[in-house]
Amino acid sequence: MAKVLVVTSGKGGVGKTTSTAALGAALAQAGRSVVVVDFDVGLRNLDLVMGAERRVVFDLINVIQGDARLPQALIRDKRIETLHLLPASQTRDKDALTQEGVARVIAELKEKFDWVICDSPAGIEKGAMLAMRNADIAVVVTNPEVSSVRDSDRIIGMLDAKTARAENGERIEKHLLVTRYHPARAARGEMLKVDDVLEILSIPLLGIIPESEDVLRSSNIGAPVTLHAPESAPARAYFDAAKRLQGETLPIAVPEERRGLMSKLFGRRVA
Amino acid sequence: MNLFGFLKPRPSAPVARERLQILLAHERAISGGSDLMATLKEEIIGVIAKHFPLEREKVQVKLDRGDAYSTLEIDIEVPSLSKAHPGNGSSGGAKLAAP
Ligand SMILES: Nc1ncnc2c1ncn2[C@@H]1O[C@H](COP(=O)(O)OP(=O)(O)OP(=O)(O)O)[C@@H](O)[C@H]1O
Ligand SMILES: [Mg+2]
């Protein structure tokens, strides 16, 4: 059975698009067939992070409005056969996204793929609502920082009230993904600890993604971090998170960057 | 005691944690609150309607949240009762202060 997953957060810039690309790629690297769907109409970025920006011809809104058929809009990844992208429109109006249209496209995607992963726009408006609307599973991306935690709490409330599953009296599976985590800062009491965030939001933890240069480097190149730097700390954390999504139970490690002696001695200021 | 302890800034994460816990408890109560008010209103209508003919639109239930206490305001307008119960007004208002 196909699963629909939404990557959401409320707050902007916390790592939704990065996580959509990395989790989608990790699942595809494990042999699943995956489509990542960009819901950020007008501010699409998933194509860029996936390195497919020059291959976009049709988009989600074209499909909804009947200007293109779904197979014409889907872009297959050049590196992983089973990974696909359905881009958002960069020019159209957000209002072109309708609840019925989105439901129709998601239903069609569910027939073709094992995983349909929806990259939500920031905010709690229509775009974010439509991205979560048909989800079976939600990954709530949170930075260990007050405003992000507060917005995540709000989004969790919306997941329990406004999704199709919630309206039918069914449960929606929710997972917390803590991203941009600095273990050293948390240890020094400068940043919320993962345990604090977990206690406040009280949904199960999917993983802890450290703040890392490898994420930036990968997005510069246009590759999910699990593809470009599979040995890096963030990639390993995303691989584990993808395994947990598929039902595996693994211990959650607080990630450590592998660092040399010099950066250990002087890294505090430099890193 | 660490001799140079005063050089270190006080960890701010525990403050963040505490502020969030207080704030979110409040915000969750508000978002759950709209439901609570609707339920309360239905139950009040049920009780009053047993004794008076009542129009639903004439029943107002409102919660004003304050720092020290909140006010639950219930305003029920019932048809003139002057014949049946002389001396009673036609509109009954009740204000309760909830800590
Ligand atoms: N673990 C990480 N380490 C370092 N940088 C990161 C990490 N995760 C995300 N970033 C960077 O943070 C920025 C925002 O990330 P991203 O675009 O994924 O967030 P978003 O939640 O999708 O934002 P928006 O709400 O605008 O859609 C990007 O520059 C990205 O490279
Ligand atoms: Mg994004």
Side-chain angles (χ1 to χ4, degrees):
Chain A
M1 255 301 271
K3 292 231 167 122
V4 181
L5 184 151
V6 62
V7 179
T8 184
S9 69
K11 188 172 158 69
V14 295
K16 292 179 292 297
T17 301
T18 303
S19 300
T20 301
L23 289 173
L27 287 164
Q29 283 165 283
R32 304 282 99 75
S33 68
V34 178
V35 61
V36 290
V37 186
D38 194 343
F39 273 83
D40 209 343
V41 174
L43 287 171
R44 75 166 180 227
N45 274 324
L46 191 54
D47 56 335
L48 205 53
V49 171
M50 306 265 301
E53 70 278 8
R54 301 197 330 192
R55 300 169 62 204
V56 176
V57 183
F58 295 113
D59 57 57
L60 175 60
I61 289 178
N62 291 140
V63 177
I64 286 178
Q65 297 191 329
D67 301 331
R69 287 178 308 109
L70 184 56
Q72 294 177 290
L74 287 172
I75 303 169
R76 179 198 278 194
D77 191 89
K78 289 212 159 125
R79 299 147 299 201
I80 319 168
E81 292 222 312
T82 55
L83 180 60
H84 296 74
L85 164 70
L86 180 55
S89 170
Q90 185 68 319
T91 50
R92 300 294 194 90
D93 189 22
K94 284 198 232 331
D95 292 333
L97 279 187
T98 60
Q99 190 164 308
E100 305 71 48
V102 168
R104 215 176 348 103
V105 173
I106 298 283
E108 206 177 333
L109 289 170
K110 279 172 86 168
E111 284 172 18
K112 292 178 192 280
F113 299 98
D114 299 329
W115 287 90
V116 179
I117 306 186
C118 306
D119 181 17
S120 175
I124 54 168
E125 306 302 319
K126 191 179 164 202
M129 301 271 279
L130 286 175
M132 70 167 64
R133 178 79 201 160
N134 303 285
D136 304 305
I137 306 176
V139 170
V140 179
V141 178
T142 307
N143 294 164
E145 169 268 324
V146 283
S147 53
S148 175
V149 174
R150 179 200 211 170
D151 291 0
S152 292
D153 193 72
R154 189 88 185 273
I155 281 289
I156 291 170
M158 281 174 55
L159 287 165
D160 286 332
K162 305 275 169 76
T163 51
R165 280 185 89 90
E167 284 176 6
N168 293 333
E170 290 170 88
R171 221 175 57 86
I172 173 157
E173 215 182 284
K174 298 177 293 288
H175 299 274
L176 178 69
L177 188 66
V178 176
T179 59
R180 312 203 68 165
Y181 190 65
H182 296 258
R185 282 196 191 163
R188 291 198 297 270
E190 297 165 8
M191 185 183 244
L192 285 167
K193 291 191 171 65
V194 173
D195 283 346
D196 295 336
V197 181
L198 267 178
E199 190 194 326
I200 292 166
L201 295 179
S202 55
I203 59 172
L205 183 62
L206 185 68
I208 307 165
I209 315 297
E211 174 79 18
S212 161
E213 301 253 315
D214 287 302
V215 171
L216 274 173
R217 258 183 242 125
S218 301
S219 74
N220 285 342
I221 286 167
V225 68
T226 53
L227 258 180
H228 179 250
E231 296 299 323
S232 66
R236 282 181 283 134
Y238 278 122
F239 280 124
D240 282 0
K243 285 184 187 157
R244 289 186 196 100
L245 283 176
Q246 296 179 93
E248 272 186 54
T249 352
L250 299 166
I252 292 191
V254 178
E256 287 270 6
E257 287 287 354
R258 290 172 184 153
R259 295 197 297 175
L261 179 65
M262 290 309 273
S263 71
K264 267 185 188 145
L265 286 173
F266 303 106
R268 284 197 172 196
R269 293 276 159 265
V270 189
Chain B
M1 248 208 58
N2 184 342
L3 195 58
F4 297 102
F6 66 90
L7 287 176
K8 279 197 217 150
R10 207 165 73 85
S12 55
V15 182
R17 177 168 176 262
E18 204 178 304
R19 287 177 59 221
L20 273 169
Q21 277 171 331
I22 294 167
L23 174 72
L24 294 183
H26 186 71
E27 288 186 344
R28 285 170 191 160
I30 290 176
S31 66
S34 54
D35 253 17
L36 173 67
M37 287 304 115
T39 312
L40 195 55
K41 183 171 169 175
E42 285 312 307
E43 289 179 2
I44 288 169
I45 290 174
V47 172
I48 306 291
K50 279 192 210 160
H51 305 283
F52 299 108
L54 194 68
E55 284 177 53
R56 303 179 57 87
E57 305 78 64
K58 302 277 169 69
V59 178
Q60 304 291 334
V61 179
K62 215 172 88 192
L63 185 65
D64 281 320
R65 281 167 201 276
D67 281 339
Y69 57 86
S70 303
T71 310
L72 182 62
E73 195 175 322
I74 303 169
D75 193 28
I76 305 168
E77 196 183 310
V78 295
S80 175
L81 301 168
S82 48
K83 276 177 200 157
H85 303 274
N88 272 6
S90 63
S91 173
K95 278 196 184 185
L96 296 166

